[in-house]
């Protein structure tokens, strides 16, 4: 009988008990708004920012309503001029080009390599051709490009780098944490990332001016002195009058459930690495699959895994996805012309001028993606890997036309 997996790819673990208790305390207090504090009280949101800044090793942090609003705020805080071009990855999630557009920028999409990271040669070429002075670097699916090469390129060309770390909380390049390479970094605490508050995000930076503008933009009114992971009042002298209010504050309830999760993040990252390792080893046994070789310089914390199956024909791709689904394995395919669920391709972002990205299209046409939630066991991962192998073997070995292959 064909093996079937019965787990749920979208099921995260419950919120830690300490988070539930903290959330109940906030609800009992009635003070959910981050600036609604008693004399001398520091809000959960401000404490979370302090915790996260300490965890990342930077002086300043702002908590926001989402990763997407964090990116919009970050682009505004680096004073992106209206109509300015912003380099970014062609392979990313739609909030990334969306944030550039919302911040008044114009996305310039950069090719993706077979290793699923930004193509540095194309980045250099497009930086020169476009004259763009900003890069929103998306560490899509947790894969880091050569951060030294990118930093050197940005320094040479006078480009301000903003990191999208939605998938790299806990990741590092040569021991240096992702989110500490650019002028600003953005994180997400949306349910499917490394911390889970339903929705939420962070902006982090070492630059006092950038953080002052970010805080005012997030909707602090004139209550910015209630932040702890923030610069002193001097930094706000102009920002408080110059920066538009985008009302994207995190509330105390979400902050309360995040703080205990942050305290156990290191252990969770190790758990993800273990599951990823098991799944990777299993998938590497399958003939015809290509997985990214993670460089020695990189500390990778995959909460999802990707593989390419370059030998599948166009017709076989949907058959493979359907066959895996029929055995309980939920694969996302990035090559689809029509956007599905969370997944869309650059051609579906019609507010962005159409751009030719043949290399990215080629890579995405045979790229598959799976979530790896911490509710999975190592045995689950072995079973999932075996099912993927079976499904691919069935299609490859069938010798039948794809419509008969099921
Ligand atoms: C999830 C995600 C974001 C931010 O998403 P929100 O849902 O707005 O928190 C940004 N970039 C990438 C690559 C993502 O996957």
């Amino acid at each position: 009988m064909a093996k079937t997996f019965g787990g749920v790819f979208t099921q995260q673990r419950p919120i830690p008990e300490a988070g539930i208790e903290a959330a109940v305390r906030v609800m009992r207090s009635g003070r959910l708004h981050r600036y609604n504090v008693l004399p001398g009280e520091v809000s959960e949101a401000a404490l979370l920012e302090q915790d996260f800044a300490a965890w990342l090793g930077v002086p300043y942090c702002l908590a926001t309503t989402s990763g997407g609003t964090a990116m919009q705020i970050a682009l505004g805080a680096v004073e992106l001029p209206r109509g300015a071009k912003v380099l970014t990855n062609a392979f990313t999630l739609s909030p990334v080009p969306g944030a550039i557009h919302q911040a008044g920028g114009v996305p310039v999409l950069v090719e993706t390599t077979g290793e699923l990271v930004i193509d540095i040669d194309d980045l250099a070429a497009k930086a020169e051709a476009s004259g763009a002075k900003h890069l929103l670097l998306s560490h899509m699916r947790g894969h880091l490009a050569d951060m030294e090469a990118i930093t050197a390129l940005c320094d040479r060309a006078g480009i301000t780098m903003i990191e999208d770390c939605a998938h790299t909380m806990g990741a590092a390049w040569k021991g240096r944490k992702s989110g500490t390479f650019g002028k600003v970094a953005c994180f997400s605490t949306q349910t499917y990332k490394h911390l889970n508050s339903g929705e939420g995000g962070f902006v982090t930076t070492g630059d006092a001016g950038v953080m002052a503008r970010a805080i005012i933009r997030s909707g602090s009114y004139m209550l910015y002195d209630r932040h702890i992971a923030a610069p002193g009042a001097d930094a706000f002298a102009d920002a408080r009058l110059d920066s538009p209010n985008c009302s994207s504050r995190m509330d105390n309830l979400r902050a309360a459930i995040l703080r205990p999760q942050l305290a156990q993040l290191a252990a969770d990252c190790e758990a993800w690495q273990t599951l990823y390792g098991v799944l990777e080893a299993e998938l590497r046994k399958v003939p015809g699959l290509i997985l990214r070789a993670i460089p020695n310089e990189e500390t990778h914390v995959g909460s999802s895994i990707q593989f390419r199956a370059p030998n599948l024909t166009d017709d076989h791709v949907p058959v493979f996805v359907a066959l895996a689904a029929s055995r309980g394995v939920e694969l996302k395919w990035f090559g689809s012309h029509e956007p599905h669920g969370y997944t869309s391709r650059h051609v579906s972002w019609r507010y962005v001028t159409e751009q030719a990205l043949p290399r990215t299209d080629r890579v995405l046409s045979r790229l598959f993606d799976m979530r790896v939630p911490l509710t999975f066991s190592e045995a689950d991962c072995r079973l999932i890997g075996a099912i993927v192998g079976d499904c691919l073997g069935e299609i490859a070995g069938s010798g039948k036309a794809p419509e008969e292959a099921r």
Side-chain angles (χ1 to χ4, degrees):
M1 214 187 81
K3 298 186 197 91
T4 302
F5 177 59
V8 180
F9 282 80
T10 49
Q11 183 62 57
Q12 305 291 17
R13 290 165 316 162
I15 301 302
E17 283 305 319
I20 294 172
E21 284 164 21
V24 169
R25 270 199 304 277
V26 169
M27 286 189 282
R28 292 222 160 95
S29 80
R31 295 188 295 280
L32 274 68
H33 190 276
R34 67 167 298 162
Y35 300 122
N36 184 196
V37 286
L38 298 176
E41 187 182 29
V42 180
S43 72
E44 286 286 333
L47 291 169
L48 172 67
E49 290 164 346
Q50 185 179 47
D51 293 348
F52 195 76
W55 174 83
L56 189 62
V58 297
Y60 309 128
C61 174
L62 167 72
T64 61
T65 47
S66 72
T69 54
M71 291 186 289
Q72 292 175 37
I73 287 170
L75 288 163
V78 299
E79 300 180 287
L80 181 75
R82 294 232 148 244
K85 296 194 167 139
V86 180
L87 298 152
T88 196
N89 308 54
F91 173 45
T92 187
L93 213 69
S94 58
V96 177
I100 294 171
H101 185 81
Q102 294 296 348
V106 176
V108 176
L109 304 176
V110 181
E111 291 274 31
T112 310
T113 70
E115 301 287 282
L116 309 181
V117 296
I118 201 162
D119 177 335
I120 296 184
D121 294 336
D122 194 48
L123 176 62
K126 284 184 176 151
E128 172 138 9
S130 69
K133 292 296 167 210
H134 296 83
L135 164 65
L136 177 49
L137 178 64
S138 185
H139 305 303
M140 181 62 170
R141 290 300 188 257
H143 303 295
L144 292 178
D146 180 337
M147 291 310 296
E148 281 163 323
I150 294 197
T151 307
L153 193 163
C154 288
D155 288 348
R156 237 179 7 252
I159 292 173
T160 299
M161 190 207 304
I162 296 128
E163 292 183 73
D164 165 20
C165 302
H167 299 167
T168 52
M169 204 182 270
W173 185 263
K174 288 195 175 170
R176 182 170 159 190
K177 277 201 173 103
S178 169
T180 61
F181 291 87
K183 181 153 197 151
V184 200
C186 304
F187 294 82
S188 170
T189 62
Q190 186 240 72
T191 291
Y192 301 114
K193 317 294 163 117
H194 295 92
L195 297 178
N196 175 12
S197 60
E199 305 285 355
F202 297 112
V203 177
T204 59
T205 182
D207 185 299
V210 168
M211 184 46 63
R213 288 187 288 273
I215 288 173
I216 300 291
R217 279 183 174 257
S218 76
S220 71
Y221 306 101
M222 294 300 135
L223 302 169
Y224 47 83
D225 65 340
R226 295 188 191 172
H227 288 246
I228 327 172
D234 289 358
F236 291 86
D238 290 323
R240 74 202 173 98
L241 305 175
D242 291 342
S243 300
N245 178 333
C246 311
S247 262
S248 308
R249 300 165 299 272
M250 179 171 282
D251 57 90
N252 288 333
L253 197 50
R254 288 193 253 178
I257 68 172
L258 284 170
R259 292 182 63 215
Q261 292 179 54
L262 184 57
Q264 68 179 46
L265 180 61
D268 287 353
C269 287
E270 273 181 39
W272 260 304
Q273 286 170 328
T274 301
L275 295 182
Y276 187 96
V278 172
L279 202 42
E280 180 186 18
E282 207 61 43
L283 292 172
R284 284 203 188 278
K285 293 183 202 158
V286 179
L289 288 194
I290 300 177
L291 281 91
R292 175 172 181 243
I294 296 180
N296 287 334
E297 294 89 343
E298 181 174 340
T299 308
H300 180 86
V301 188
S303 58
S304 65
I305 194 164
Q306 295 71 43
F307 59 85
R308 292 191 290 137
N311 302 332
L312 286 181
T313 64
D314 284 346
D315 292 342
H316 275 139
V317 166
V319 179
F320 172 53
V321 172
L323 199 54
S326 74
R327 311 235 173 116
V329 173
E330 204 179 297
L331 295 178
K332 288 189 242 172
W333 175 47
F334 277 100
S336 174
H337 192 77
E338 279 301 310
H340 290 291
Y342 294 92
T343 306
S344 64
R345 263 190 337 129
H346 63 93
V347 290
S348 302
W349 309 331
R350 292 208 306 217
Y351 52 89
V352 177
T353 315
E354 220 174 293
Q355 300 173 36
L357 294 147
R359 189 171 187 194
T360 301
D361 291 342
R362 205 161 50 242
V363 169
L364 297 190
S365 73
R366 296 294 179 273
L367 179 68
F368 303 91
D369 174 52
M370 259 189 293
R371 294 184 200 281
V372 188
L374 290 183
T375 48
F376 285 5
S377 66
E378 293 182 41
D380 290 338
C381 292
R382 279 189 289 274
L383 175 60
I384 292 165
I387 291 173
V388 169
D390 285 355
C391 294
L392 205 64
E394 214 171 290
I395 290 170
S398 70
K400 292 179 192 162
E403 44 295 351
E404 299 167 53
R406 304 176 62 182

